[in-house]
Amino acid sequence: MTEAHVTYPVLEHIRKRSYLKSRDEYTAMYKKSIDEPDEFWREQANRLDWFHPFQKVSDCDLANASIRWYEGGKLNVAHNCLDRHLSERGDQTAIIWEADEAKDGRHISYRELHAEVCKTANVLKSMGVKRGDRVCIYLPMIPELAYTMLACARIGAIHSIVFAGFSAESIRDRILDCEAKMVITANEGVRGGKRIALKSIVDKAVEGLEVVESVLVCRRTDTDVPMKSGRDFSFEEACSKQRPTCPAEWMDAEDPLFILYTSGSTGRPKGLLHTTGGYLTYASLTHKYVFDVHPGDVYCCAADIGWVTGHTYIIYGPLANGATTIMFESVPTYPDPGRYWDIVERHKVNIFYTAPTAIRAIAREGDQWVKKYDRSSLRILGTVGEPINPEAWEWYYDVVGEQKCAIVDTWWQTETGGIMITPLPGVNELKPGAATLPFFGVHPCLVDEEGKKIEATEAKGYLCMQAAWPGLARTVYGDHERFKQTYFSQYPGLYFTGDGCNRDKDGDYWITGRVDDVINVSGHRLGTAEIESSINAHPWVAESAVVGYPHEIKGTGILGFVILNANIGDQAKEEIVQAVREQVATDIGKFARPDLILVCPGLPKTRSGKIMRRILRKISVGEYGNLGNVTTLADPSVVDQIIGVHKEMVKK
Ligand code: WT7
């Protein structure tokens, strides 16, 4: 940490256009946001249209996990994302839909989007969806995903979007947890030239579930799928009967907007609940300043709306700001690894936002895929989801941006609603691998093992927040105690992020990654406990322990140590490994499939039966000689046996 880092000064042509012109300007605004938060956030709320003004800016008590913003205020998110833009930019493109095959894509203006959202809202109402009801959306990246989420917002229903890579089992759990009365899906999804049978996955997910009254099916391909009469309805048919206008509900600032499930170190995924006024204010403000979005800019976030990045930075932030946002249905390597830059050239993209895992995956395909396309429109390059290794950062900066773009390495979480720690264009010099500075209103601190706040600038510790901000999630749906336990109990008075972090002598933050049993695989967040419980469900398996290990493309790969049942006979090793991997793909989703399975004779356990993952993590990176104290193990000899098996696997 004391070593000198390469730094890149602010580029003058970036500063010429940026909203903020200097570090001093940032510092003054930041200081105000921390010293007088209510004043600051009162002003920022003016970014939105309020039907009725709020009475109180904030009422937050982190120690009690009680967070309330803009109470008494009435507004509607869809109105803010659509209606209020119509007079000025009705004909401007709101969404550029970049389809799997580029030729199938289209532009959707604010006026069209408004009409489609209203029709969809009328469909939902006609099918009995009311304010406060939960709607589960399981859709690929098609315009209907935007229509349905905004339609929910318009009528005050709460959407719970489930990434279309999740298994039937995972959808079912999420539907049950939030008691969704409607599920919205598509006949099929199309991704990288392949078709995904979404409707049949939903059929499995909702089978026998009484809470689900209806399934609305969008048509993405010409394949006909079985429709269960009385339950399943065609989205297009339903829309054709509806009018393109629908009044927007007056929602309270603290009314729920959406639930989004995310993994933690223990138990089932948690449904984080975000509300209306604070979330949208935060989404809109961060989108404007972090990406330095100006009128006329074309903005592309290549994430999937199934994750929080897509919620906040494909839909809500950009549309609240009246921007033009791209929805990308395909993958970065289809039809070839030049796809991103093909998009940039065709749509003259100014701001591009993706994940380190995607950057690494296309970087290794060679620079020629980038250089083939004109990228002169690019100004800002963003990254999110996991720590970016300096090599990937440099490649993004040098090759993609030709040293002419500002990079924003944005750290945040599903729980935080929006970006928290990030460079700002025009403000600070860049350091490859550093998320650098807190956004306005964000008050981070580092705490040590004992939970003591570290005052020194140069420090290493657990990243916490000492003040609430409007984008912070309000609760875990249906389980406020769990919300409090998970985030506010380790360090009373602080929000605990679960991340480790270094702060350098300049006060810049470097996120080092999770310190709990959460792993970040290709930017997807997974709990090791979830994967273990899936592996353990396999009839051949007695027990397992999962750890993450460094993976060249994914950032973190998944390694499962597995103990087999005594009575399984002579199954071939290879067959066992494949069966266990498939079990996880089926239970959770393909993106959670373990990279490596190591069949071992035992697991390192303490005398009280706790698996010491620390030892397994060391073994997974080949640090056999550096395992620390193993004398507390019930049977220290298993360690050498596991090392033996691991060595053998590495040899192969
Ligand atoms: C975890 C949150 C919110 C965006 C998508 C992920 C890691 C996220 C960065 C970054 C280092 C990062 C953290 C965090 N993370 N962005 N720029 N640098 N780490 O959301 O699924 O809720 O995961 O992703 O470990 O805790 P998520």
Side-chain angles (χ1 to χ4, degrees):
M1 249 198 13
T2 41
E3 85 243 38
H5 293 289
V6 206
T7 60
Y8 292 79
V10 175
L11 298 164
E12 274 319 312
H13 67 276
I14 296 287
R15 183 172 273 161
K16 228 167 142 181
R17 289 202 52 170
S18 59
Y19 289 110
L20 297 168
K21 299 290 182 199
S22 67
R23 177 75 180 248
D24 288 349
E25 203 178 326
Y26 158 82
T27 307
M29 201 161 151
Y30 179 71
K31 193 167 181 309
K32 170 156 187 188
S33 76
I34 298 300
D35 294 347
E36 300 165 70
D38 279 7
E39 268 317 296
F40 180 85
W41 289 112
R42 182 192 309 284
E43 253 169 63
Q44 296 309 329
N46 291 330
R47 306 184 56 72
L48 306 183
D49 242 16
W50 297 81
F51 296 143
H52 184 81
F54 49 86
Q55 273 92 58
K56 194 166 184 183
V57 178
S58 74
D59 185 4
C60 303
D61 174 6
L62 289 184
N64 283 305
S66 165
I67 300 124
R68 309 189 64 82
W69 287 86
Y70 304 126
E71 264 182 299
K74 306 261 186 214
L75 75 165
N76 182 283
V77 166
H79 168 91
N80 274 282
C81 289
L82 303 168
D83 307 46
R84 67 167 173 154
H85 302 315
L86 292 183
S87 58
E88 214 178 298
R89 44 172 69 96
D91 295 323
Q92 182 199 306
T93 299
I95 295 177
I96 299 176
W97 182 50
E98 173 72 18
D100 198 48
E101 303 294 340
K103 65 173 173 36
D104 298 332
R106 62 176 196 268
H107 286 55
I108 302 155
S109 69
Y110 270 93
R111 201 179 318 286
E112 287 170 89
L113 183 58
H114 175 263
E116 294 301 330
V117 169
C118 285
K119 275 193 255 174
T120 308
N122 288 330
V123 168
L124 300 191
K125 284 207 278 195
S126 74
M127 294 177 70
V129 178
K130 289 187 289 295
R131 184 176 172 137
D133 285 346
R134 276 79 58 213
V135 173
C136 172
I137 305 180
Y138 185 70
L139 280 176
M141 288 287 284
I142 56 178
E144 288 78 1
L145 176 48
Y147 305 162
T148 51
M149 61 196 289
L150 288 160
C152 287
R154 193 165 192 89
I155 65 172
I158 307 166
H159 60 70
S160 163
I161 301 180
V162 178
F163 169 62
F166 273 110
S167 66
E169 194 71 23
S170 303
I171 308 169
R172 192 182 176 89
D173 286 348
R174 285 159 175 75
I175 291 172
L176 280 171
D177 185 78
C178 72
E179 301 178 300
K181 71 190 306 189
M182 177 188 268
V183 180
I184 305 179
T185 188
N187 60 339
E188 290 184 312
V190 185
R191 229 169 152 237
K194 293 196 203 85
R195 297 186 168 208
I196 307 144
L198 298 177
K199 169 65 163 59
S200 82
I201 298 173
V202 168
D203 283 340
K204 252 183 253 152
V206 304
E207 202 189 321
L209 288 192
E210 268 172 31
V211 295
V212 177
E213 293 170 10
S214 51
V215 176
L216 202 50
V217 185
C218 306
R219 199 175 180 88
R220 170 61 182 92
T221 65
D222 48 20
T223 308
D224 285 321
V225 293
M227 299 284 277
K228 188 170 169 187
S229 126
R231 185 197 71 186
D232 301 347
F233 299 90
S234 151
F235 176 78
E236 291 73 23
E237 220 175 287
C239 280
S240 68
K241 297 181 197 131
Q242 297 298 337
R243 289 152 35 117
T245 55
C246 169
E249 280 286 307
W250 284 36
M251 304 304 290
D252 286 326
E254 281 299 345
D255 275 338
L257 176 64
F258 66 84
I259 298 166
L260 184 57
Y261 287 83
T262 191
S263 299
S265 14
T266 54
R268 290 176 175 275
K270 297 180 280 282
L272 270 313
L273 182 89
H274 285 281
T275 59
T276 301
Y279 171 79
L280 197 64
T281 303
Y282 198 72
S284 152
L285 187 72
T286 48
H287 178 255
K288 170 180 166 173
Y289 282 106
V290 175
F291 299 107
D292 200 51
V293 187
H294 291 262
D297 278 349
V298 176
Y299 162 89
C300 177
C301 167
D304 193 290
I305 293 176
W307 309 105
V308 75
T309 305
H311 282 60
T312 306
Y313 296 113
I314 297 178
I315 299 296
Y316 291 123
L319 296 180
N321 290 343
T324 297
T325 181
I326 294 184
M327 259 180 92
F328 180 41
E329 188 187 35
S330 193
V331 294
T333 47
Y334 185 77
D336 59 51
R339 183 64 184 269
Y340 275 175
W341 325 118
D342 172 34
I343 294 175
V344 167
E345 178 180 289
R346 269 187 291 113
H347 301 302
K348 301 205 167 30
V349 172
N350 306 105
I351 302 141
F352 188 82
Y353 192 28
T354 189
T357 185
I359 297 170
R360 288 190 295 264
I362 49 183
R364 71 165 186 176
E365 301 286 340
D367 300 357
Q368 73 276 15
W369 292 110
V370 186
K371 296 199 167 129
K372 213 174 135 186
Y373 298 98
D374 176 15
R375 285 153 289 113
S376 57
S377 56
L378 286 174
R379 217 169 63 239
I380 313 285
L381 297 171
T383 149
V384 64
E386 53 178 315
I388 183 164
N389 49 311
E391 302 71 38
W393 195 102
E394 304 269 0
W395 185 82
Y396 207 24
Y397 189 77
D398 292 338
V399 179
V400 176
E402 292 179 354
Q403 310 191 337
K404 289 183 203 127
C405 297
I407 293 203
V408 290
D409 174 0
T410 65
W411 174 87
W412 59 296
Q413 311 177 292
T414 304
E415 294 84 347
T416 70
I419 293 166
M420 298 287 284
I421 301 183
T422 179
L424 292 174
V427 166
N428 48 331
E429 49 181 34
L430 304 174
K431 301 175 182 176
T436 73
L437 296 173
F439 189 74
F440 306 125
V442 172
H443 199 183
C445 63
L446 299 182
V447 298
D448 63 18
E449 294 280 348
E450 276 79 54
K452 263 206 12 243
K453 210 186 311 178
I454 309 173
E455 298 297 341
T457 305
E458 211 172 338
K460 183 184 185 72
Y462 300 125
L463 180 64
C464 293
M465 299 294 154
Q466 37 193 331
W469 62 99
L472 176 57
R474 302 302 194 253
T475 193
V476 167
Y477 188 80
D479 196 349
H480 193 67
E481 195 45 40
R482 190 169 177 207
F483 182 62
K484 197 168 153 183
Q485 274 301 324
T486 311
Y487 307 104
F488 304 96
S489 67
Q490 289 89 337
Y491 311 114
L494 303 178
Y495 165 81
F496 175 50
T497 64
D499 278 313
C501 183
N502 298 331
R503 189 167 51 209
D504 69 17
K505 61 179 185 348
D506 304 322
D508 282 315
Y509 288 84
W510 301 67
I511 316 296
T512 53
R514 303 291 307 197
V515 294
D516 50 10
D517 291 321
V518 169
I519 54 179
N520 204 316
V521 181
S522 300
H524 300 331
R525 179 163 155 187
L526 291 161
T528 52
E530 260 177 282
I531 305 173
E532 287 163 7
S533 82
S534 164
I535 293 178
N536 296 349
H538 194 282
W540 293 342
V541 174
E543 209 183 350
S544 67
V546 164
V547 300
Y549 69 95
H551 186 286
E552 215 185 313
I553 302 295
K554 296 176 161 189
T556 305
I558 305 174
L559 167 57
F561 296 86
V562 171
I563 309 180
L564 299 176
N565 279 322
N567 58 350
I568 70 152
D570 283 337
Q571 301 293 346
K573 266 275 171 57
E574 201 37 42
E575 192 186 340
I576 293 166
V577 167
Q578 287 315 327
V580 168
R581 294 178 71 229
E582 283 323 300
Q583 172 87 25
V584 180
T586 313
D587 284 349
I588 303 176
K590 290 205 179 83
F591 63 92
R593 187 191 273 142
D595 299 273
L596 301 169
I597 294 292
L598 209 54
V599 176
C600 1
L603 290 171
K605 286 189 184 170
T606 61
R607 282 184 206 100
S608 60
K610 200 170 166 288
I611 297 171
M612 291 186 78
R613 283 204 186 65
R614 171 179 64 80
I615 292 174
L616 296 176
R617 274 194 285 265
K618 287 268 161 78
I619 293 176
S620 78
V621 291
E623 288 184 24
Y624 309 132
N626 178 24
L627 299 179
N629 185 5
V630 296
T631 55
T632 54
L633 290 179
D635 175 11
S637 76
V638 294
V639 173
D640 283 334
Q641 295 174 326
I642 300 173
I643 290 175
V645 188
H646 187 262
K647 274 187 179 159
E648 215 174 285
M649 180 187 71
V650 174
K651 255 201 304 199
K652 285 197 238 149

